[in-house]
Amino acid sequence: MENDNEPAAPEPSAGPFAQSHVRLTDPKALRAYSHPTRMQLVGLLRLRGPLTATEAAQLTGQSVASCSYHLRMLAKHGLVEEDESGTGRQKPWRATARYTSWPDHSDDPAVAEASTALSTMVAETWFERVLRAIETRGTLPREWQEAEEFSDEVLFLLPAELKELRTDITALLDKYADRADPARRPEGALPVEFLRIAYARQEGDYGGDPR
């Protein structure tokens, strides 16, 4: 899936997309994106490039009508758009940006509630994928199994230090940003989902670490 809620700086290159980020701030847009099929469609368009509703239906297992509806809803909020290079009755759709971001906090209760709901949906989607990756990793070549990582680290940081760490990681990952363009991917490259989750532990959440 797409990498969401990225820090704003440094700004990653947009690559083949019109822009680096689509930022959702309206509660209606936040709620509209909080749908597993819509997240899946945006992720497919970012990963595979332009797709028609028929092609998207084949990949997702949804009906063409369902995909068409969800793509139109995504377009309404600026997450996808029709690819003008297409021909025929069905024009393909493309993602407008590499990432979707939304407020980490808001003084507006409606925005805060919708943002929390969206973040929760994204986290659930991520961890469903992590579980599938663990269950199926035995099917990968040994070199991929050895390269994958499942670990965590507890650091004692100040807020400014955590922001600096996020910025540094963004810069490292941006070295590979141009590979969003299929023509720039080296032979043998696979899509690797690199999860980034950093949060301050709350009181009472100081049990033993799993790793």
Side-chain angles (χ1 to χ4, degrees), residues 48-90:
R48 293 177 175 261
L51 296 170
T52 65
T54 298
E55 292 169 331
Q58 292 170 346
L59 292 168
T60 61
Q62 302 289 326
S63 69
V64 175
S66 175
C67 286
S68 294
Y69 169 75
H70 288 306
L71 286 165
R72 289 195 301 273
M73 292 299 101
L74 291 167
K76 181 178 179 181
H77 299 291
L79 289 156
V80 306
E81 62 188 4
E82 284 191 330
D83 187 349
E84 296 302 325
S85 65
T87 59
R89 293 181 60 187
Q90 264 198 35

Side-chain angles (χ1 to χ4, degrees), residues 123-136:
E124 290 173 351
T125 300
W126 279 340
F127 286 105
E128 286 176 4
R129 291 180 178 177
V130 169
L131 290 174
R132 286 200 301 270
I134 293 172
E135 291 168 354
T136 61

Side-chain angles (χ1 to χ4, degrees), residues 77-145:
H77 299 291
L79 289 156
V80 306
E81 62 188 4
E82 284 191 330
D83 187 349
E84 296 302 325
S85 65
T87 59
R89 293 181 60 187
Q90 264 198 35
K91 285 189 175 181
W93 294 85
R94 65 183 179 188
T96 57
R98 286 184 60 207
Y99 304 113
T100 311
S101 64
W102 55 91
D104 293 314
H105 63 277
S106 176
D107 294 330
D108 184 330
V111 174
E113 181 180 0
S115 293
T116 298
L118 178 52
S119 294
T120 300
M121 175 66 72
V122 169
E124 290 173 351
T125 300
W126 279 340
F127 286 105
E128 286 176 4
R129 291 180 178 177
V130 169
L131 290 174
R132 286 200 301 270
I134 293 172
E135 291 168 354
T136 61
R137 69 184 314 204
T139 63
L140 291 172
R142 182 172 178 175
E143 61 181 348
W144 274 105
Q145 294 186 52

Side-chain angles (χ1 to χ4, degrees), residues 2 11 24 36 42 46 78 100 178 186 203:
E2 67 282 21
E11 182 70 13
L24 305 179
V42 172
R46 288 172 176 166
T100 311
D178 63 348
E203 185 177 355

Side-chain angles (χ1 to χ4, degrees), residues 4 6 8 25 59-60 111 163 169 175:
D4 287 84
E6 291 294 314
T25 57
L59 292 168
T60 61
V111 174
K163 289 181 179 179
I169 293 173
K175 291 167 53 179

